[in-house]
Amino acid sequence: MLKLKDLNLNRPKLPQTLMAAMPFLLFFPVSLMYVGLTLLLLAWLSGADFQGKWRKTRSSPMFWSVVMMLGVIAFNALFLSQGNERRWPALVHYLIFFFLLWFMSVGTGEWQGRAKKVFIAGALYGASIYYLTHLGVVPDWAIFKNYAVYGGNKSIALGIFLAIAAAWQLNDALEQTTRHPRWTGIAGYVYIALAVLLLAKTRTGMLLLMLLSMMVVTRHLSLSIRGLALGLSVLLSAGLAWQFSPHLQERTLVTVDAVRAFSKGEMGTGQGNRLQFIQKTGEMISEKPLLGHGVGSWLEQYPVRARGLETSEMTTPHSDYLLYTAELGAIGLTALLGIFICIFRLAWRTGGAAGMQLLVLGTAFVFGCAFNAILRDWKFGLPMMILLAVALTEGKPAKAEPADAKLGRTD
């Protein structure tokens, strides 16, 4: 019979157990993620040992870059944002970095490996729902809504998470030294990737899938039959994706046409209306390039500057780089880039499969922030912070593989 004292003994590890389960919730409505975070908070508080949790946070190689970002935000909000009526509501979105500090207090360990498996299992579930929805056998329930119809940022987020999971799955598969696990992993990758390319309603997710997949494959390329076959398979896959994915063709061509029109001085409209954000937000940046207009200034100024344009009622410029530079200036943008640089440095120092896993996530951050409100919208931001906590390591270089292990590989 389970005794209460047994539960108390496991209480310190409960936050890690819940963190390992969290990635599966990313493929469900965001409300379930908030329930999971509430349970995590209760477990975190009940475990006490706050001094130990603080030491784990301080020991993370990401600590100082995140603290610097929070310092820039605090200074701007307190001293440079007076008069912005939307200052405090907008500040809430910037506090997403506190969640990363919180997740880092859980520490690193075996739970991260379990969390990655849970994340990939969630991606397989998400891909399956896409297929079943396309076949018309999924009931019309709210839990499946964002798979069936385009639901804005949540639908985009699903595509991004699937792309990251597919790249992680491919990375693990190519690390395998025996045929069965390798081909099973590749089959899982193909299953997730096809759902993104053919059924997901997100241009960012499609482009990320191809970019991240090429990064993973490049690491394993070599002057051998296997390496050449791997390179040719990437080219073949890209060609097939272009041929059979109408979503990819349509969104790519629309983007190219919009950029071409903008280069001629024309204002983008329809799916190319993000070019309006560049022009009008660029005006804000040019006026106060160093310190920005303050937290909450974009929501106040953009509707006025874009009066008459179809983006005038939007709540975000669909680019964190534009938002951070307009509100926090070049100093804020530099602090944000400092976080990304820290991720890439850690990935380089770690090396191996773990380093590539972190590199994939860092690239998803950099690329996603260019075209979406990854950090402003918590539908993106909180899941990305969870995945970053899953991928973070102590920053130790990967151990070299023994020579006899390499000789014993079976291709």
Side-chain angles (χ1 to χ4, degrees), residues 8 11-15 40-56 102 105-106:
N8 290 335
R11 188 177 296 173
K13 293 185 178 181
L14 187 55
L40 176 62
L41 178 60
L42 294 175
W44 188 87
L45 292 172
S46 67
D49 188 24
F50 300 113
Q51 187 175 5
K53 292 170 181 174
W54 173 244
R55 284 198 300 269
K56 291 177 182 177
W102 175 32
S105 72
V106 175

mmCIF file with all atom_site columns, all heavy atoms in Angstrom, residues 8 11-15 40-56 102 105-106:
data_model
loop_
_atom_site.group_PDB
_atom_site.id
_atom_site.type_symbol
_atom_site.label_atom_id
_atom_site.label_alt_id
_atom_site.label_comp_id
_atom_site.label_asym_id
_atom_site.label_entity_id
_atom_site.label_seq_id
_atom_site.pdbx_PDB_ins_code
_atom_site.Cartn_x
_atom_site.Cartn_y
_atom_site.Cartn_z
_atom_site.occupancy
_atom_site.B_iso_or_equiv
_atom_site.pdbx_formal_charge
_atom_site.auth_seq_id
_atom_site.auth_comp_id
_atom_site.auth_asym_id
_atom_site.auth_atom_id
_atom_site.pdbx_PDB_model_num
ATOM 1   N N   . ASN A 1 8   ? 5.982  11.938 -0.008  1.00 0.00 ? 8   ASN A N   1
ATOM 2   C CA  . ASN A 1 8   ? 6.845  13.039 0.416   1.00 0.00 ? 8   ASN A CA  1
ATOM 3   C C   . ASN A 1 8   ? 8.256  12.858 -0.109  1.00 0.00 ? 8   ASN A C   1
ATOM 4   O O   . ASN A 1 8   ? 8.931  13.813 -0.464  1.00 0.00 ? 8   ASN A O   1
ATOM 5   C CB  . ASN A 1 8   ? 6.857  13.131 1.944   1.00 0.00 ? 8   ASN A CB  1
ATOM 6   C CG  . ASN A 1 8   ? 5.524  13.614 2.504   1.00 0.00 ? 8   ASN A CG  1
ATOM 7   O OD1 . ASN A 1 8   ? 4.779  14.296 1.793   1.00 0.00 ? 8   ASN A OD1 1
ATOM 8   N ND2 . ASN A 1 8   ? 5.228  13.270 3.748   1.00 0.00 ? 8   ASN A ND2 1
ATOM 9   N N   . ARG A 1 11  ? 8.348  13.988 -3.620  1.00 0.00 ? 11  ARG A N   1
ATOM 10  C CA  . ARG A 1 11  ? 7.904  15.345 -3.877  1.00 0.00 ? 11  ARG A CA  1
ATOM 11  C C   . ARG A 1 11  ? 8.965  16.216 -4.541  1.00 0.00 ? 11  ARG A C   1
ATOM 12  O O   . ARG A 1 11  ? 8.651  16.973 -5.458  1.00 0.00 ? 11  ARG A O   1
ATOM 13  C CB  . ARG A 1 11  ? 7.420  15.990 -2.577  1.00 0.00 ? 11  ARG A CB  1
ATOM 14  C CG  . ARG A 1 11  ? 6.753  17.339 -2.792  1.00 0.00 ? 11  ARG A CG  1
ATOM 15  C CD  . ARG A 1 11  ? 6.224  17.893 -1.483  1.00 0.00 ? 11  ARG A CD  1
ATOM 16  N NE  . ARG A 1 11  ? 5.178  17.038 -0.936  1.00 0.00 ? 11  ARG A NE  1
ATOM 17  C CZ  . ARG A 1 11  ? 4.628  17.219 0.275   1.00 0.00 ? 11  ARG A CZ  1
ATOM 18  N NH1 . ARG A 1 11  ? 5.058  18.206 1.044   1.00 0.00 ? 11  ARG A NH1 1
ATOM 19  N NH2 . ARG A 1 11  ? 3.682  16.414 0.696   1.00 0.00 ? 11  ARG A NH2 1
ATOM 20  N N   . PRO A 1 12  ? 10.233 16.166 -4.151  1.00 0.00 ? 12  PRO A N   1
ATOM 21  C CA  . PRO A 1 12  ? 11.241 17.001 -4.819  1.00 0.00 ? 12  PRO A CA  1
ATOM 22  C C   . PRO A 1 12  ? 11.384 16.700 -6.309  1.00 0.00 ? 12  PRO A C   1
ATOM 23  O O   . PRO A 1 12  ? 11.782 17.571 -7.080  1.00 0.00 ? 12  PRO A O   1
ATOM 24  C CB  . PRO A 1 12  ? 12.529 16.666 -4.054  1.00 0.00 ? 12  PRO A CB  1
ATOM 25  C CG  . PRO A 1 12  ? 12.061 16.213 -2.711  1.00 0.00 ? 12  PRO A CG  1
ATOM 26  C CD  . PRO A 1 12  ? 10.793 15.463 -2.973  1.00 0.00 ? 12  PRO A CD  1
ATOM 27  N N   . LYS A 1 13  ? 11.113 15.461 -6.716  1.00 0.00 ? 13  LYS A N   1
ATOM 28  C CA  . LYS A 1 13  ? 11.252 15.088 -8.118  1.00 0.00 ? 13  LYS A CA  1
ATOM 29  C C   . LYS A 1 13  ? 9.973  15.293 -8.924  1.00 0.00 ? 13  LYS A C   1
ATOM 30  O O   . LYS A 1 13  ? 9.978  15.124 -10.149 1.00 0.00 ? 13  LYS A O   1
ATOM 31  C CB  . LYS A 1 13  ? 11.689 13.627 -8.230  1.00 0.00 ? 13  LYS A CB  1
ATOM 32  C CG  . LYS A 1 13  ? 13.091 13.359 -7.701  1.00 0.00 ? 13  LYS A CG  1
ATOM 33  C CD  . LYS A 1 13  ? 13.500 11.920 -7.964  1.00 0.00 ? 13  LYS A CD  1
ATOM 34  C CE  . LYS A 1 13  ? 14.920 11.668 -7.485  1.00 0.00 ? 13  LYS A CE  1
ATOM 35  N NZ  . LYS A 1 13  ? 15.341 10.263 -7.748  1.00 0.00 ? 13  LYS A NZ  1
ATOM 36  N N   . LEU A 1 14  ? 8.869  15.636 -8.241  1.00 0.00 ? 14  LEU A N   1
ATOM 37  C CA  . LEU A 1 14  ? 7.592  15.792 -8.934  1.00 0.00 ? 14  LEU A CA  1
ATOM 38  C C   . LEU A 1 14  ? 7.623  16.878 -10.004 1.00 0.00 ? 14  LEU A C   1
ATOM 39  O O   . LEU A 1 14  ? 7.063  16.683 -11.089 1.00 0.00 ? 14  LEU A O   1
ATOM 40  C CB  . LEU A 1 14  ? 6.487  16.066 -7.918  1.00 0.00 ? 14  LEU A CB  1
ATOM 41  C CG  . LEU A 1 14  ? 5.053  16.098 -8.463  1.00 0.00 ? 14  LEU A CG  1
ATOM 42  C CD1 . LEU A 1 14  ? 4.728  14.801 -9.200  1.00 0.00 ? 14  LEU A CD1 1
ATOM 43  C CD2 . LEU A 1 14  ? 4.054  16.343 -7.324  1.00 0.00 ? 14  LEU A CD2 1
ATOM 44  N N   . PRO A 1 15  ? 8.281  18.037 -9.766  1.00 0.00 ? 15  PRO A N   1
ATOM 45  C CA  . PRO A 1 15  ? 8.351  19.044 -10.838 1.00 0.00 ? 15  PRO A CA  1
ATOM 46  C C   . PRO A 1 15  ? 9.021  18.504 -12.102 1.00 0.00 ? 15  PRO A C   1
ATOM 47  O O   . PRO A 1 15  ? 8.579  18.815 -13.215 1.00 0.00 ? 15  PRO A O   1
ATOM 48  C CB  . PRO A 1 15  ? 9.172  20.178 -10.213 1.00 0.00 ? 15  PRO A CB  1
ATOM 49  C CG  . PRO A 1 15  ? 8.910  20.057 -8.755  1.00 0.00 ? 15  PRO A CG  1
ATOM 50  C CD  . PRO A 1 15  ? 8.817  18.578 -8.502  1.00 0.00 ? 15  PRO A CD  1
ATOM 51  N N   . LEU A 1 40  ? 2.281  22.216 -12.182 1.00 0.00 ? 40  LEU A N   1
ATOM 52  C CA  . LEU A 1 40  ? 3.731  22.312 -12.024 1.00 0.00 ? 40  LEU A CA  1
ATOM 53  C C   . LEU A 1 40  ? 4.084  23.324 -10.942 1.00 0.00 ? 40  LEU A C   1
ATOM 54  O O   . LEU A 1 40  ? 4.975  23.089 -10.110 1.00 0.00 ? 40  LEU A O   1
ATOM 55  C CB  . LEU A 1 40  ? 4.373  22.716 -13.345 1.00 0.00 ? 40  LEU A CB  1
ATOM 56  C CG  . LEU A 1 40  ? 5.891  22.951 -13.333 1.00 0.00 ? 40  LEU A CG  1
ATOM 57  C CD1 . LEU A 1 40  ? 6.632  21.669 -12.956 1.00 0.00 ? 40  LEU A CD1 1
ATOM 58  C CD2 . LEU A 1 40  ? 6.366  23.460 -14.693 1.00 0.00 ? 40  LEU A CD2 1
ATOM 59  N N   . LEU A 1 41  ? 3.387  24.456 -10.922 1.00 0.00 ? 41  LEU A N   1
ATOM 60  C CA  . LEU A 1 41  ? 3.644  25.476 -9.905  1.00 0.00 ? 41  LEU A CA  1
ATOM 61  C C   . LEU A 1 41  ? 3.351  24.947 -8.511  1.00 0.00 ? 41  LEU A C   1
ATOM 62  O O   . LEU A 1 41  ? 4.139  25.167 -7.571  1.00 0.00 ? 41  LEU A O   1
ATOM 63  C CB  . LEU A 1 41  ? 2.797  26.717 -10.191 1.00 0.00 ? 41  LEU A CB  1
ATOM 64  C CG  . LEU A 1 41  ? 2.920  27.865 -9.175  1.00 0.00 ? 41  LEU A CG  1
ATOM 65  C CD1 . LEU A 1 41  ? 4.351  28.370 -9.101  1.00 0.00 ? 41  LEU A CD1 1
ATOM 66  C CD2 . LEU A 1 41  ? 1.958  28.996 -9.523  1.00 0.00 ? 41  LEU A CD2 1
ATOM 67  N N   . LEU A 1 42  ? 2.230  24.243 -8.356  1.00 0.00 ? 42  LEU A N   1
ATOM 68  C CA  . LEU A 1 42  ? 1.878  23.686 -7.047  1.00 0.00 ? 42  LEU A CA  1
ATOM 69  C C   . LEU A 1 42  ? 2.926  22.674 -6.591  1.00 0.00 ? 42  LEU A C   1
ATOM 70  O O   . LEU A 1 42  ? 3.320  22.655 -5.419  1.00 0.00 ? 42  LEU A O   1
ATOM 71  C CB  . LEU A 1 42  ? 0.493  23.031 -7.116  1.00 0.00 ? 42  LEU A CB  1
ATOM 72  C CG  . LEU A 1 42  ? -0.684 23.989 -7.364  1.00 0.00 ? 42  LEU A CG  1
ATOM 73  C CD1 . LEU A 1 42  ? -1.979 23.200 -7.528  1.00 0.00 ? 42  LEU A CD1 1
ATOM 74  C CD2 . LEU A 1 42  ? -0.810 24.995 -6.219  1.00 0.00 ? 42  LEU A CD2 1
ATOM 75  N N   . ALA A 1 43  ? 3.376  21.828 -7.525  1.00 0.00 ? 43  ALA A N   1
ATOM 76  C CA  . ALA A 1 43  ? 4.403  20.843 -7.180  1.00 0.00 ? 43  ALA A CA  1
ATOM 77  C C   . ALA A 1 43  ? 5.720  21.525 -6.841  1.00 0.00 ? 43  ALA A C   1
ATOM 78  O O   . ALA A 1 43  ? 6.442  21.108 -5.919  1.00 0.00 ? 43  ALA A O   1
ATOM 79  C CB  . ALA A 1 43  ? 4.595  19.866 -8.346  1.00 0.00 ? 43  ALA A CB  1
ATOM 80  N N   . TRP A 1 44  ? 6.045  22.583 -7.572  1.00 0.00 ? 44  TRP A N   1
ATOM 81  C CA  . TRP A 1 44  ? 7.289  23.326 -7.351  1.00 0.00 ? 44  TRP A CA  1
ATOM 82  C C   . TRP A 1 44  ? 7.280  23.969 -5.970  1.00 0.00 ? 44  TRP A C   1
ATOM 83  O O   . TRP A 1 44  ? 8.283  23.930 -5.252  1.00 0.00 ? 44  TRP A O   1
ATOM 84  C CB  . TRP A 1 44  ? 7.432  24.374 -8.444  1.00 0.00 ? 44  TRP A CB  1
ATOM 85  C CG  . TRP A 1 44  ? 8.738  25.102 -8.468  1.00 0.00 ? 44  TRP A CG  1
ATOM 86  C CD1 . TRP A 1 44  ? 9.880  24.727 -9.091  1.00 0.00 ? 44  TRP A CD1 1
ATOM 87  C CD2 . TRP A 1 44  ? 9.025  26.379 -7.850  1.00 0.00 ? 44  TRP A CD2 1
ATOM 88  N NE1 . TRP A 1 44  ? 10.870 25.664 -8.913  1.00 0.00 ? 44  TRP A NE1 1
ATOM 89  C CE2 . TRP A 1 44  ? 10.373 26.688 -8.161  1.00 0.00 ? 44  TRP A CE2 1
ATOM 90  C CE3 . TRP A 1 44  ? 8.285  27.274 -7.090  1.00 0.00 ? 44  TRP A CE3 1
ATOM 91  C CZ2 . TRP A 1 44  ? 10.976 27.861 -7.718  1.00 0.00 ? 44  TRP A CZ2 1
ATOM 92  C CZ3 . TRP A 1 44  ? 8.882  28.442 -6.640  1.00 0.00 ? 44  TRP A CZ3 1
ATOM 93  C CH2 . TRP A 1 44  ? 10.216 28.729 -6.958  1.00 0.00 ? 44  TRP A CH2 1
ATOM 94  N N   . LEU A 1 45  ? 6.144  24.545 -5.594  1.00 0.00 ? 45  LEU A N   1
ATOM 95  C CA  . LEU A 1 45  ? 6.036  25.188 -4.281  1.00 0.00 ? 45  LEU A CA  1
ATOM 96  C C   . LEU A 1 45  ? 6.054  24.165 -3.155  1.00 0.00 ? 45  LEU A C   1
ATOM 97  O O   . LEU A 1 45  ? 6.665  24.395 -2.102  1.00 0.00 ? 45  LEU A O   1
ATOM 98  C CB  . LEU A 1 45  ? 4.746  26.018 -4.207  1.00 0.00 ? 45  LEU A CB  1
ATOM 99  C CG  . LEU A 1 45  ? 4.690  27.262 -5.109  1.00 0.00 ? 45  LEU A CG  1
ATOM 100 C CD1 . LEU A 1 45  ? 3.299  27.870 -5.080  1.00 0.00 ? 45  LEU A CD1 1
ATOM 101 C CD2 . LEU A 1 45  ? 5.729  28.292 -4.671  1.00 0.00 ? 45  LEU A CD2 1
ATOM 102 N N   . SER A 1 46  ? 5.384  23.044 -3.355  1.00 0.00 ? 46  SER A N   1
ATOM 103 C CA  . SER A 1 46  ? 5.309  22.031 -2.295  1.00 0.00 ? 46  SER A CA  1
ATOM 104 C C   . SER A 1 46  ? 6.656  21.351 -2.062  1.00 0.00 ? 46  SER A C   1
ATOM 105 O O   . SER A 1 46  ? 6.905  20.814 -0.987  1.00 0.00 ? 46  SER A O   1
ATOM 106 C CB  . SER A 1 46  ? 4.258  20.978 -2.646  1.00 0.00 ? 46  SER A CB  1
ATOM 107 O OG  . SER A 1 46  ? 4.664  20.217 -3.777  1.00 0.00 ? 46  SER A OG  1
ATOM 108 N N   . GLY A 1 47  ? 7.526  21.362 -3.065  1.00 0.00 ? 47  GLY A N   1
ATOM 109 C CA  . GLY A 1 47  ? 8.831  20.732 -2.920  1.00 0.00 ? 47  GLY A CA  1
ATOM 110 C C   . GLY A 1 47  ? 9.815  21.520 -2.095  1.00 0.00 ? 47  GLY A C   1
ATOM 111 O O   . GLY A 1 47  ? 10.878 21.001 -1.719  1.00 0.00 ? 47  GLY A O   1
ATOM 112 N N   . ALA A 1 48  ? 9.480  22.796 -1.811  1.00 0.00 ? 48  ALA A N   1
ATOM 113 C CA  . ALA A 1 48  ? 10.358 23.674 -1.009  1.00 0.00 ? 48  ALA A CA  1
ATOM 114 C C   . ALA A 1 48  ? 11.788 23.680 -1.571  1.00 0.00 ? 48  ALA A C   1
ATOM 115 O O   . ALA A 1 48  ? 11.960 23.684 -2.778  1.00 0.00 ? 48  ALA A O   1
ATOM 116 C CB  . ALA A 1 48  ? 10.322 23.265 0.450   1.00 0.00 ? 48  ALA A CB  1
ATOM 117 N N   . ASP A 1 49  ? 12.791 23.714 -0.701  1.00 0.00 ? 49  ASP A N   1
ATOM 118 C CA  . ASP A 1 49  ? 14.204 23.766 -1.100  1.00 0.00 ? 49  ASP A CA  1
ATOM 119 C C   . ASP A 1 49  ? 14.436 24.865 -2.134  1.00 0.00 ? 49  ASP A C   1
ATOM 120 O O   . ASP A 1 49  ? 15.046 24.653 -3.177  1.00 0.00 ? 49  ASP A O   1
ATOM 121 C CB  . ASP A 1 49  ? 14.661 22.420 -1.651  1.00 0.00 ? 49  ASP A CB  1
ATOM 122 C CG  . ASP A 1 49  ? 16.179 22.379 -1.887  1.00 0.00 ? 49  ASP A CG  1
ATOM 123 O OD1 . ASP A 1 49  ? 16.899 23.151 -1.225  1.00 0.00 ? 49  ASP A OD1 1
ATOM 124 O OD2 . ASP A 1 49  ? 16.633 21.597 -2.760  1.00 0.00 ? 49  ASP A OD2 1
ATOM 125 N N   . PHE A 1 50  ? 13.949 26.052 -1.842  1.00 0.00 ? 50  PHE A N   1
ATOM 126 C CA  . PHE A 1 50  ? 14.046 27.157 -2.789  1.00 0.00 ? 50  PHE A CA  1
ATOM 127 C C   . PHE A 1 50  ? 15.494 27.615 -2.988  1.00 0.00 ? 50  PHE A C   1
ATOM 128 O O   . PHE A 1 50  ? 15.839 28.104 -4.070  1.00 0.00 ? 50  PHE A O   1
ATOM 129 C CB  . PHE A 1 50  ? 13.172 28.321 -2.321  1.00 0.00 ? 50  PHE A CB  1
ATOM 130 C CG  . PHE A 1 50  ? 11.721 27.953 -2.206  1.00 0.00 ? 50  PHE A CG  1
ATOM 131 C CD1 . PHE A 1 50  ? 11.097 27.912 -0.975  1.00 0.00 ? 50  PHE A CD1 1
ATOM 132 C CD2 . PHE A 1 50  ? 10.987 27.615 -3.332  1.00 0.00 ? 50  PHE A CD2 1
ATOM 133 C CE1 . PHE A 1 50  ? 9.770  27.562 -0.864  1.00 0.00 ? 50  PHE A CE1 1
ATOM 134 C CE2 . PHE A 1 50  ? 9.656  27.266 -3.239  1.00 0.00 ? 50  PHE A CE2 1
ATOM 135 C CZ  . PHE A 1 50  ? 9.034  27.234 -1.996  1.00 0.00 ? 50  PHE A CZ  1
ATOM 136 N N   . GLN A 1 51  ? 16.299 27.441 -1.961  1.00 0.00 ? 51  GLN A N   1
ATOM 137 C CA  . GLN A 1 51  ? 17.711 27.802 -2.119  1.00 0.00 ? 51  GLN A CA  1
ATOM 138 C C   . GLN A 1 51  ? 18.387 26.889 -3.142  1.00 0.00 ? 51  GLN A C   1
ATOM 139 O O   . GLN A 1 51  ? 19.173 27.342 -3.979  1.00 0.00 ? 51  GLN A O   1
ATOM 140 C CB  . GLN A 1 51  ? 18.428 27.712 -0.771  1.00 0.00 ? 51  GLN A CB  1
ATOM 141 C CG  . GLN A 1 51  ? 19.860 28.236 -0.817  1.00 0.00 ? 51  GLN A CG  1
ATOM 142 C CD  . GLN A 1 51  ? 20.509 28.260 0.561   1.00 0.00 ? 51  GLN A CD  1
ATOM 143 O OE1 . GLN A 1 51  ? 19.918 27.792 1.538   1.00 0.00 ? 51  GLN A OE1 1
ATOM 144 N NE2 . GLN A 1 51  ? 21.711 28.806 0.649   1.00 0.00 ? 51  GLN A NE2 1
ATOM 145 N N   . GLY A 1 52  ? 18.057 25.595 -3.085  1.00 0.00 ? 52  GLY A N   1
ATOM 146 C CA  . GLY A 1 52  ? 18.614 24.660 -4.060  1.00 0.00 ? 52  GLY A CA  1
ATOM 147 C C   . GLY A 1 52  ? 18.114 24.955 -5.465  1.00 0.00 ? 52  GLY A C   1
ATOM 148 O O   . GLY A 1 52  ? 18.874 24.851 -6.445  1.00 0.00 ? 52  GLY A O   1
ATOM 149 N N   . LYS A 1 53  ? 16.858 25.340 -5.577  1.00 0.00 ? 53  LYS A N   1
ATOM 150 C CA  . LYS A 1 53  ? 16.304 25.676 -6.888  1.00 0.00 ? 53  LYS A CA  1
ATOM 151 C C   . LYS A 1 53  ? 16.973 26.923 -7.448  1.00 0.00 ? 53  LYS A C   1
ATOM 152 O O   . LYS A 1 53  ? 17.223 27.022 -8.658  1.00 0.00 ? 53  LYS A O   1
ATOM 153 C CB  . LYS A 1 53  ? 14.790 25.877 -6.778  1.00 0.00 ? 53  LYS A CB  1
ATOM 154 C CG  . LYS A 1 53  ? 14.042 24.589 -6.464  1.00 0.00 ? 53  LYS A CG  1
ATOM 155 C CD  . LYS A 1 53  ? 12.588 24.854 -6.131  1.00 0.00 ? 53  LYS A CD  1
ATOM 156 C CE  . LYS A 1 53  ? 11.875 23.536 -5.791  1.00 0.00 ? 53  LYS A CE  1
ATOM 157 N NZ  . LYS A 1 53  ? 10.504 23.744 -5.317  1.00 0.00 ? 53  LYS A NZ  1
ATOM 158 N N   . TRP A 1 54  ? 17.266 27.876 -6.563  1.00 0.00 ? 54  TRP A N   1
ATOM 159 C CA  . TRP A 1 54  ? 17.959 29.088 -7.009  1.00 0.00 ? 54  TRP A CA  1
ATOM 160 C C   . TRP A 1 54  ? 19.368 28.759 -7.499  1.00 0.00 ? 54  TRP A C   1
ATOM 161 O O   . TRP A 1 54  ? 19.840 29.317 -8.484  1.00 0.00 ? 54  TRP A O   1
ATOM 162 C CB  . TRP A 1 54  ? 18.000 30.099 -5.876  1.00 0.00 ? 54  TRP A CB  1
ATOM 163 C CG  . TRP A 1 54  ? 18.827 31.325 -6.163  1.00 0.00 ? 54  TRP A CG  1
ATOM 164 C CD1 . TRP A 1 54  ? 19.954 31.728 -5.519  1.00 0.00 ? 54  TRP A CD1 1
ATOM 165 C CD2 . TRP A 1 54  ? 18.584 32.301 -7.174  1.00 0.00 ? 54  TRP A CD2 1
ATOM 166 N NE1 . TRP A 1 54  ? 20.430 32.890 -6.050  1.00 0.00 ? 54  TRP A NE1 1
ATOM 167 C CE2 . TRP A 1 54  ? 19.607 33.270 -7.080  1.00 0.00 ? 54  TRP A CE2 1
ATOM 168 C CE3 . TRP A 1 54  ? 17.602 32.458 -8.152  1.00 0.00 ? 54  TRP A CE3 1
ATOM 169 C CZ2 . TRP A 1 54  ? 19.690 34.368 -7.924  1.00 0.00 ? 54  TRP A CZ2 1
ATOM 170 C CZ3 . TRP A 1 54  ? 17.673 33.554 -8.995  1.00 0.00 ? 54  TRP A CZ3 1
ATOM 171 C CH2 . TRP A 1 54  ? 18.699 34.493 -8.884  1.00 0.00 ? 54  TRP A CH2 1
ATOM 172 N N   . ARG A 1 55  ? 20.041 27.820 -6.807  1.00 0.00 ? 55  ARG A N   1
ATOM 173 C CA  . ARG A 1 55  ? 21.383 27.424 -7.245  1.00 0.00 ? 55  ARG A CA  1
ATOM 174 C C   . ARG A 1 55  ? 21.331 26.782 -8.635  1.00 0.00 ? 55  ARG A C   1
ATOM 175 O O   . ARG A 1 55  ? 22.220 27.018 -9.456  1.00 0.00 ? 55  ARG A O   1
ATOM 176 C CB  . ARG A 1 55  ? 21.998 26.444 -6.234  1.00 0.00 ? 55  ARG A CB  1
ATOM 177 C CG  . ARG A 1 55  ? 22.492 27.081 -4.957  1.00 0.00 ? 55  ARG A CG  1
ATOM 178 C CD  . ARG A 1 55  ? 23.448 26.157 -4.220  1.00 0.00 ? 55  ARG A CD  1
ATOM 179 N NE  . ARG A 1 55  ? 22.791 24.894 -3.862  1.00 0.00 ? 55  ARG A NE  1
ATOM 180 C CZ  . ARG A 1 55  ? 22.165 24.686 -2.710  1.00 0.00 ? 55  ARG A CZ  1
ATOM 181 N NH1 . ARG A 1 55  ? 22.096 25.653 -1.803  1.00 0.00 ? 55  ARG A NH1 1
ATOM 182 N NH2 . ARG A 1 55  ? 21.614 23.501 -2.454  1.00 0.00 ? 55  ARG A NH2 1
ATOM 183 N N   . LYS A 1 56  ? 20.317 25.971 -8.881  1.00 0.00 ? 56  LYS A N   1
ATOM 184 C CA  . LYS A 1 56  ? 20.180 25.360 -10.200 1.00 0.00 ? 56  LYS A CA  1
ATOM 185 C C   . LYS A 1 56  ? 19.954 26.422 -11.273 1.00 0.00 ? 56  LYS A C   1
ATOM 186 O O   . LYS A 1 56  ? 20.509 26.335 -12.377 1.00 0.00 ? 56  LYS A O   1
ATOM 187 C CB  . LYS A 1 56  ? 19.023 24.364 -10.207 1.00 0.00 ? 56  LYS A CB  1
ATOM 188 C CG  . LYS A 1 56  ? 19.262 23.123 -9.376  1.00 0.00 ? 56  LYS A CG  1
ATOM 189 C CD  . LYS A 1 56  ? 18.039 22.213 -9.382  1.00 0.00 ? 56  LYS A CD  1
ATOM 190 C CE  . LYS A 1 56  ? 18.258 20.994 -8.508  1.00 0.00 ? 56  LYS A CE  1
ATOM 191 N NZ  . LYS A 1 56  ? 17.037 20.138 -8.460  1.00 0.00 ? 56  LYS A NZ  1
ATOM 192 N N   . TRP A 1 102 ? 12.204 30.023 -14.262 1.00 0.00 ? 102 TRP A N   1
ATOM 193 C CA  . TRP A 1 102 ? 11.483 29.054 -13.437 1.00 0.00 ? 102 TRP A CA  1
ATOM 194 C C   . TRP A 1 102 ? 11.757 27.628 -13.907 1.00 0.00 ? 102 TRP A C   1
ATOM 195 O O   . TRP A 1 102 ? 12.068 26.747 -13.115 1.00 0.00 ? 102 TRP A O   1
ATOM 196 C CB  . TRP A 1 102 ? 9.988  29.380 -13.489 1.00 0.00 ? 102 TRP A CB  1
ATOM 197 C CG  . TRP A 1 102 ? 9.101  28.390 -12.789 1.00 0.00 ? 102 TRP A CG  1
ATOM 198 C CD1 . TRP A 1 102 ? 9.416  27.655 -11.674 1.00 0.00 ? 102 TRP A CD1 1
ATOM 199 C CD2 . TRP A 1 102 ? 7.773  28.037 -13.154 1.00 0.00 ? 102 TRP A CD2 1
ATOM 200 N NE1 . TRP A 1 102 ? 8.355  26.855 -11.327 1.00 0.00 ? 102 TRP A NE1 1
ATOM 201 C CE2 . TRP A 1 102 ? 7.329  27.074 -12.207 1.00 0.00 ? 102 TRP A CE2 1
ATOM 202 C CE3 . TRP A 1 102 ? 6.910  28.443 -14.162 1.00 0.00 ? 102 TRP A CE3 1
ATOM 203 C CZ2 . TRP A 1 102 ? 6.050  26.516 -12.268 1.00 0.00 ? 102 TRP A CZ2 1
ATOM 204 C CZ3 . TRP A 1 102 ? 5.641  27.887 -14.214 1.00 0.00 ? 102 TRP A CZ3 1
ATOM 205 C CH2 . TRP A 1 102 ? 5.223  26.935 -13.287 1.00 0.00 ? 102 TRP A CH2 1
ATOM 206 N N   . SER A 1 105 ? 15.044 26.220 -12.933 1.00 0.00 ? 105 SER A N   1
ATOM 207 C CA  . SER A 1 105 ? 15.211 25.835 -11.530 1.00 0.00 ? 105 SER A CA  1
ATOM 208 C C   . SER A 1 105 ? 14.927 24.358 -11.308 1.00 0.00 ? 105 SER A C   1
ATOM 209 O O   . SER A 1 105 ? 15.283 23.805 -10.254 1.00 0.00 ? 105 SER A O   1
ATOM 210 C CB  . SER A 1 105 ? 14.278 26.671 -10.639 1.00 0.00 ? 105 SER A CB  1
ATOM 211 O OG  . SER A 1 105 ? 12.920 26.282 -10.811 1.00 0.00 ? 105 SER A OG  1
ATOM 212 N N   . VAL A 1 106 ? 14.279 23.704 -12.263 1.00 0.00 ? 106 VAL A N   1
ATOM 213 C CA  . VAL A 1 106 ? 14.025 22.264 -12.172 1.00 0.00 ? 106 VAL A CA  1
ATOM 214 C C   . VAL A 1 106 ? 15.325 21.487 -12.350 1.00 0.00 ? 106 VAL A C   1
ATOM 215 O O   . VAL A 1 106 ? 15.465 20.360 -11.877 1.00 0.00 ? 106 VAL A O   1
ATOM 216 C CB  . VAL A 1 106 ? 12.977 21.836 -13.230 1.00 0.00 ? 106 VAL A CB  1
ATOM 217 C CG1 . VAL A 1 106 ? 12.776 20.328 -13.236 1.00 0.00 ? 106 VAL A CG1 1
ATOM 218 C CG2 . VAL A 1 106 ? 11.651 22.545 -12.960 1.00 0.00 ? 106 VAL A CG2 1
#
